[in-house]
Amino acid sequence: MLGKPGPTALLDMIRKPAERAGLEFEDGLDEEILRDLGGDAGALPLMAFCLEELHRRTNVQHALTIQTYRDMGGVKGVLKRRIVELLEMLRKDADLSGVLPQMFRALVFVDEAGKAVRQRANLNELLAGPAPMPELVKMLVAPGRVLLAEDVAGRPTVMLAHEALLQQWPALSEWLESNRTDMQRVQRALSSLTSQESRDRRWAVETLAEVKPATQEVINILIGILEHPRTETRASAAEALGRIGPVSPAIVPALVAVLHSDEYPMVRGRVAQALGRIWLVSFDSVVQQVEQELVVALGDGDASVRQSVVEALGSIGPRAAAAIPALQNADRIEMNGVVSGMIHVALTRISREP
């Protein structure tokens, strides 16, 4: 596989097409273009577009001048004009207000310090998004040259073609200004979730529950934390997922797996509570899945876990009516008086008229 071209090769790519077209570079122009392009992965397509723009502005002496390059704003100016032109074309036929923020969240990462950088997004996920997301992505990849599509480890990805787009794309810059603080808080919360201090973990859970919408990236990180070696951290991740709710189809299966496999009752109990929260705001298909798993967990060998399961079922109220036979059966065999008493309370809550 060929690597990226080095500076000398890039200079040749700048000069030679112009020479073949009978154009002359002012001394130092090619170096300035190369310097502005930087070492970006998107340097080649951006360079080609920049040169096309420069050629259109060539003077009658067929000379490409530094002043002309600077008058058009250099690489950054070309980028800004290009993105504005492309979006205006698409806005004639589609409303982009809903899909642009979704795409920005996939393409931009903000760290704990608040620094924004590009990140690779899953191309297939973007193309599977609601209209006009597929059309937007395709236009920005080619011939737009604003997004760079590459296969990474066999996975199709897409990323902003140049770091300068974070400032030069007006809609992205405005979105970032409005969302940077929340995205920064999310990263801090994810770090705090693994803290040994319970106060830090509590803040993390509350923060992750408040920041909406939760991105798939954050959900994936939380699901990964469910396997963290520290018990308290796994329990906090489960609670955070429960507070986030059923916004991703990956959440319930991940929690269910922990409910039936984690060796620590505290974690299983917190997962049961999380599933109860999710049940309250879910559609029928998710409700049925959660109900079945909580009913199975009524047979957990630890009384504290059974207590959490009963609390979760009781908190749901009449919507948990299908669980009444299982609760009644659990009450007949329950040896722990506290759990048995809670079963009675849960049955009363569930049996109330909706």
Side-chain angles (χ1 to χ4, degrees):
M1 188 169 122
L2 295 175
K4 290 192 301 182
T8 301
L10 283 172
L11 282 172
D12 282 343
M13 291 177 187
I14 293 172
R15 293 186 188 119
K16 288 185 176 178
E19 291 172 357
R20 286 195 293 269
L23 302 173
E24 290 185 13
F25 271 93
E26 181 180 350
D27 288 344
L29 173 58
D30 47 1
E31 287 88 353
E32 183 164 338
I33 294 173
L34 183 60
R35 188 165 53 249
D36 290 347
L37 287 168
D40 244 282
L44 286 176
L46 284 175
M47 179 182 69
F49 185 71
C50 183
L51 290 175
E52 288 173 12
E53 180 80 5
L54 191 59
H55 290 174
R56 283 198 294 269
R57 295 172 179 238
T58 185
N59 61 26
V60 292
Q61 288 81 32
H62 300 287
L64 303 176
T65 67
I66 293 175
Q67 190 58 52
T68 299
Y69 174 71
R70 292 176 180 172
D71 287 344
M72 69 186 209
V75 170
K76 292 180 179 179
V78 170
L79 275 173
K80 186 173 184 176
R81 281 192 299 279
R82 183 56 172 166
I83 190 65
V84 169
E85 290 170 1
L86 289 169
L87 293 184
E88 285 303 316
M89 289 170 56
L90 196 52
R91 281 194 178 102
K92 293 176 182 178
D93 303 308
D95 179 9
L96 304 182
S97 59
V99 297
L100 280 175
Q102 181 183 345
M103 185 173 70
F104 293 158
R105 284 191 179 276
L107 294 170
V108 179
F109 174 79
V110 174
D111 65 17
E112 291 182 54
K115 181 181 179 182
V117 295
R118 298 172 299 162
Q119 68 177 3
R120 293 189 184 279
N122 187 305
L123 178 57
N124 289 337
E125 288 180 3
L126 289 177
L127 292 177
M133 178 71 82
E135 294 81 3
L136 174 62
V137 172
K138 290 173 184 176
M139 178 176 282
L140 295 181
V141 170
R145 301 170 183 163
V146 172
L147 299 182
L148 182 67
E150 289 184 323
D151 278 356
V152 177
R155 181 174 69 102
T157 69
V158 66
M159 70 184 300
L160 293 171
H162 201 285
E163 201 78 33
L165 281 164
L166 293 170
Q167 290 81 40
Q168 299 304 317
W169 186 342
L172 173 53
S173 179
E174 291 171 11
W175 174 86
L176 190 53
E177 189 65 27
S178 299
N179 291 274
R180 186 191 301 269
T181 300
D182 279 349
M183 295 172 74
Q184 182 181 4
R185 288 179 68 227
V186 166
Q187 295 307 315
R188 288 178 175 173
L190 290 171
S191 293
S192 296
L193 205 61
T194 61
S195 170
Q196 296 187 33
E197 297 293 331
S198 60
R199 180 175 58 184
D200 293 340
R201 296 195 303 274
R202 172 53 40 201
W203 174 83
V205 169
E206 296 296 334
T207 297
L208 291 169
E210 291 170 2
V211 177
K212 305 291 184 183
T215 65
Q216 188 61 49
E217 179 191 11
V218 168
I219 291 168
N220 290 343
I221 292 172
L222 286 171
I223 289 174
I225 295 175
L226 290 174
E227 299 180 1
H228 195 278
R230 189 178 299 120
T231 305
E232 295 83 356
T233 296
R234 297 198 302 279
S236 295
E239 183 178 354
L241 286 167
R243 297 284 295 274
I244 288 171
V247 295
S248 165
I251 290 179
V252 169
L255 288 172
V256 166
V258 176
L259 177 65
H260 298 314
S261 66
D262 199 285
E263 61 179 311
Y264 288 92
M266 181 183 73
V267 178
R268 299 199 302 276
R270 202 78 67 86
V271 168
Q273 293 167 1
L275 287 170
R277 278 182 174 272
I278 289 173
W279 189 342
L280 286 170
V281 294
S282 295
F283 298 108
D284 289 345
S285 59
V286 175
V287 165
Q288 291 171 4
Q289 181 184 8
V290 172
E291 177 189 6
Q292 292 168 2
E293 301 301 339
L294 287 177
V295 165
V296 171
L298 283 171
D300 194 282
D302 188 276
S304 66
V305 177
R306 297 197 299 277
Q307 180 177 333
S308 294
V309 172
V310 171
E311 283 180 334
L313 290 169
S315 68
I316 294 163
R319 288 185 71 193
I324 288 177
L327 283 167
Q328 291 172 333
N329 183 62
D331 187 36
R332 284 193 290 271
I333 62 176
E334 180 58 60
M335 302 297 292
N336 184 287
V338 174
V339 177
S340 183
M342 295 189 68
I343 290 176
H344 296 163
V345 173
L347 284 169
T348 300
R349 289 178 175 173
I350 295 170
S351 299
R352 288 175 183 163
E353 289 295 326

